[in-house]
Amino acid sequence: MNFLKRQTYMDYIWWQKGIIYQVYPRSFQDSNGDGIGDLQGIINRLDYFEWLGIDAIWISPIYPSPMADFGYDISDYKDIHPIFGNMDDFDKLIKEVHERGLKLILDLVPNHTSEEHLWFKESRSSRTSSKRDWYLWKDPSHDGGPPNNWLSVFGGSAWQWDENTSQYYYHAYLKEQPDLNWRNIEVQKAMFEVMHFWLDKGVDGFRVDVMWHMIKDEKWRNNPANPDHKEGMSPYNSLIPSYSVDQPEVHEVVAKMRSVVNKYDDRVIIGEIYLPIHQLVTYYGMAQQGAHLPFNFHLITLPWDAREIALAIDQYEGALPDQSWPNWVLGNHDKPRIASRAGLEQIKVAAILLLTLRGTPTLYYGDEIGMQNVNITTKEAQDPWEKNVPGIGLGRDPVRTPMQWDNTENGGFSTGKPWLPLPENYKTVNVKKQQEDPSSTLSLYQRLISIRRKEKALHVGSYVPIPQEGDLLAYIRKAEGASLLIILNFGSKPASFRSEQVKLKGKILVASDLSKEGQETEEIIAIGGNEGLVIKII
Ligand code: NOJ
Ligand code: CA
């Protein structure tokens, strides 16, 4: 669909034109030497965001929490964890972010609270508690075991027995993260109030945690077995979560969340949703009254293969409902880093892909310098997932290590002992060094972002695929008479690109190999192995 025909350029909103950057706050910048990143640390690094050219910062949870799941177990939705600072620090952060023309997106975790949240303490205190129905309490099944076969994502049954009141409660994640009952109107009201609290403070939107989990089957039916489950896969995947996630009524809840933000100007709701494309796009909602951006994780979940990715782009473009806005994500705090998944030799290709596809890109901190998964020993492991289901690569510590800022001790992240170790390579792989080197990955990111901002074809233009074979992926982005041709080589062998479909006379605007920038192109374009080109057609 061509947005330009329907919207005037001025109609595009910041979260459509812009670029989102995810900060994992524990690992971004420590300001007080305790080895854990904090809000003042983020404030100290605001110049970096401006230099890089991103538009919005999304910060993973910073609220009070026992940290069983590093902040995704919230004990108070309306305060700041002392590890990260206090409300004054937050107010200062939002003020400074806005003064620089940037936006701030918070993480909202509505599916579950911490077991330490007052709501849960009250709920578990007795069967007649006024908040009993705020969580999901059930009697044992006939054999005295859990009410059904549902599994926790983090290992074991999703049901925890409560001695005191002789019932089970449901937790999709840790037992320390009881799920809220979103069919209860009081729960809805309480969470909408939390949203108002932060929106009134001026936050520009929310990334909503596990949006597709929020409503469960009303009849609590058993999930079917997954015939494709193999040893070595997460035990959670031994069942297909047909009844525990993605229930039709979730869309009513999402629409209500949307109507909360609709009361404010230009705020955004981003949904964390791991679902196949045709299910994912339903989260845009009826008449576009769902999430503005249901996160599209297909660049993370698919093999790094030109054909698979080309197909996914086409399917996604084809499945998008009218008037909905696409988005793409290359990495996050839960999944292996792109530099490790696709290989270091592909990180520039990945950068060009992310920043030239149609739709809002989300970058994960550190990917822009090619940070890799860091090997974390069993002794150093922090992530509860790794501790519960050890040794099969589920742990997320390797992708949450401190940002590598420079070659000083601890990479400039902290003067104290970092909560997770930095890899040895921080002395050579760091922001400062790459800022000084025009041929670095970081410099490529910075140039790409600046060109994406300048070229309407890139930030709001249409997408036209150019069918290819083998390791090549190619497409055109077009707006107001300008055409940009993007050619990416997912393989290591040089190739030549030709096409009847497009004029190839142009000029290379951005290239993974800096020396090619500014060169002119003719009918046949030579492209090296692991190379990416952005060409302005003339
Ligand atoms: C998704 C978050 O991204 C992840 O880090 C967290 O562990 C789970 N949701 C549970 O909140
Ligand atoms: Ca700190």
Side-chain angles (χ1 to χ4, degrees), residues 498-528:
R498 59 188 90 212
S499 171
E500 314 270 280
Q501 196 181 329
V502 272
K503 254 180 64 190
L504 298 185
K505 206 168 153 39
K507 190 170 148 203
I508 300 179
L509 283 188
V510 192
S512 50
D513 170 359
L514 179 64
S515 68
K516 291 204 173 173
E517 290 184 10
Q519 285 182 9
E520 306 212 328
T521 55
E522 299 292 340
E523 292 93 78
I524 300 175
I525 300 174
I527 177 157

Side-chain angles (χ1 to χ4, degrees), residues 477-490:
R477 301 292 315 280
K478 253 189 212 170
E480 293 177 357
S483 284
L484 267 67
L485 165 66
I486 291 94
I487 314 171
L488 302 167
N489 188 346
F490 280 61

Side-chain angles (χ1 to χ4, degrees), residues 196 254-264 269 289:
H196 278 294
V254 177
K256 286 188 185 176
M257 290 186 142
R258 171 66 175 263
S259 60
V260 173
V261 303
N262 279 353
K263 296 193 189 110
Y264 299 76
I269 292 210
Q289 288 308 306

